[in-house]
Amino acid sequence: GSGTMIVEVLAAVALGLLVCVLFFRKKEESLETEDGWWGEGQAPASGEDESIHPFKVQTSSEEIEDLYRRIDQTRPIPSLEQSEFNYGFNSAYLGKVVSYWRNQFD
């Protein structure tokens, strides 16, 4: 009857208002990063050097063992249920990444 129709119209209006509020709400502004230069000192006037240069990572076995010890002593905090990555990095997934890095990566 007409009572059902009124409820349907009110539901449609409420849904329309919700869509408008969500669509037209003020967007969060991001902070400016000034000139975008993250290197040491001032940005070079001639532009950044984007060429690829060879490099070698040097570390001792003592440093690697210290890193392994620190990883092994880490106490992970359980993730919120079904939080995925909504509240930061998911600690369950981080545990898998760390385990791979600690036990399989060479």
Side-chain angles (χ1 to χ4, degrees):
S2 66
T4 305
M5 189 170 143
I6 291 174
V7 171
E8 289 174 350
V9 168
L10 289 175
V13 169
L15 183 60
L17 286 173
L18 178 63
V19 168
C20 286
V21 167
L22 292 176
F23 186 74
F24 292 112
R25 71 178 178 202
K26 184 178 180 195
K27 304 291 190 257
E28 200 172 301
E29 294 181 25
S30 60
L31 297 175
E32 293 296 323
T33 58
E34 296 178 11
D35 64 0
W37 174 251
W38 294 84
E40 290 184 18
Q42 297 295 320
S46 62
E48 294 183 53
D49 178 10
E50 295 183 3
S51 60
I52 299 173
H53 303 277
F55 67 94
K56 195 174 219 177
V57 175
Q58 295 179 344
T59 186
S60 67
S61 58
E62 291 83 19
E63 290 172 319
I64 297 296
E65 288 303 318
D66 178 56
L67 181 59
Y68 285 163
R69 181 182 55 76
R70 290 171 187 241
I71 290 172
D72 292 341
Q73 291 177 348
T74 300
R75 293 176 289 164
I77 297 171
S79 296
L80 297 173
E81 290 183 27
Q82 300 180 4
S83 67
E84 298 175 355
F85 290 87
N86 295 318
Y87 300 103
F89 203 92
N90 183 288
S91 58
Y93 183 75
L94 179 61
K96 292 176 185 178
V97 172
V98 169
S99 176
Y100 167 78
W101 187 87
R102 171 64 173 93
N103 301 308
Q104 297 173 344
F105 183 79
D106 184 19

